[in-house]
Amino acid sequence: MNSKSIAKEKFVFKDMVKVENILSNYPDKKSATLPLLHLAQSQDGYITTGAINTIADMVDSHPAIVMDCVSFYTMFYTKPPGRHKVQICQTLSCSLNGADDLVDDVVSKYSIKPGETTEDKKFTLQKVECLGSCDTAPVVQIDNDYYEGLSREKFDELLETLK
């Protein structure tokens, strides 16, 4: 089978009213790329190849340009993430205050590296840039909640409480 006969994977938004609302807010369709990616991810939990193709068509862009956005921002996932997204800040104040130890702790305890998900799909570990709370470093964001000034012990206890 040659590449010309392979159908381009498509994605169908469940709420076309939201899609139209997003598109109507931007005179330049390409500006709607990020909001459409957020909407697609909220629907499936991650960004599929089909979503990239569909969004590229909607905003008159090439799929590679949409994929550039997906790969640049840490909040987008291209495969299903774990139930809990553990994001550890890596900027200078957090690193100096123990963030690297927190990453090392997860790596050794759960046998995953940054960007990976545990086999039981419980955690996805990410090293991220500034979480905006430098004065309370190290800072960890788990799902939508911030945890500040964490020691390794407090961090371990926190992870143990998550179901």
Side-chain angles (χ1 to χ4, degrees):
M1 182 182 284
N2 67 39
S3 62
K4 289 184 181 181
S5 64
I6 297 173
K8 193 162 122 177
E9 186 180 335
K10 287 290 185 179
F11 171 85
V12 177
F13 282 100
K14 290 180 182 170
D15 190 341
M16 287 306 294
V17 172
K18 283 185 181 176
V19 170
E20 292 304 322
N21 186 39
I22 289 169
L23 290 169
S24 71
N25 284 311
Y26 299 96
D28 178 358
K29 286 184 185 182
K30 286 179 180 62
S31 298
T33 302
L34 290 178
L36 289 171
L37 285 168
H38 281 290
L39 183 61
Q41 183 161 283
S42 72
Q43 182 173 312
D44 285 355
Y46 65 104
I47 306 294
T48 63
T49 301
I52 291 168
N53 291 334
T54 298
I55 292 168
D57 288 345
M58 288 178 161
V59 300
D60 298 329
S61 187
H62 191 278
I65 293 171
V66 176
M67 186 59 205
D68 282 347
C69 293
V70 172
S71 64
F72 180 80
Y73 293 102
T74 59
M75 79 278 275
F76 293 125
Y77 300 94
T78 55
K79 55 188 175 192
R83 287 187 309 279
H84 300 288
K85 294 157 211 76
V86 179
Q87 300 177 53
I88 302 175
C89 182
Q90 294 298 289
T91 50
L92 185 60
S93 60
C94 284
S95 287
L96 290 173
N97 285 291
D100 298 333
D101 292 336
L102 301 181
V103 172
D104 292 344
D105 194 40
V106 173
V107 168
S108 73
K109 188 171 185 176
Y110 296 99
S111 302
I112 59 172
K113 296 175 187 165
E116 294 181 346
T117 299
T118 56
E119 282 187 34
D120 64 0
K121 306 292 186 224
K122 185 174 183 181
F123 298 118
T124 295
L125 174 64
Q126 291 180 293
K127 291 163 98 177
V128 297
E129 289 305 315
C130 190
L131 289 172
S133 193
C134 299
D135 61 323
T136 60
V139 181
V140 174
Q141 182 177 349
I142 300 177
D143 303 323
N144 293 318
D145 298 317
Y146 272 39
Y147 300 90
E148 303 163 316
L150 290 173
S151 65
R152 277 182 106 152
E153 295 76 26
K154 286 182 186 176
F155 184 54
D156 283 340
E157 289 172 14
L158 173 62
L159 293 178
E160 290 297 323
T161 67
L162 300 173
K163 302 213 187 279

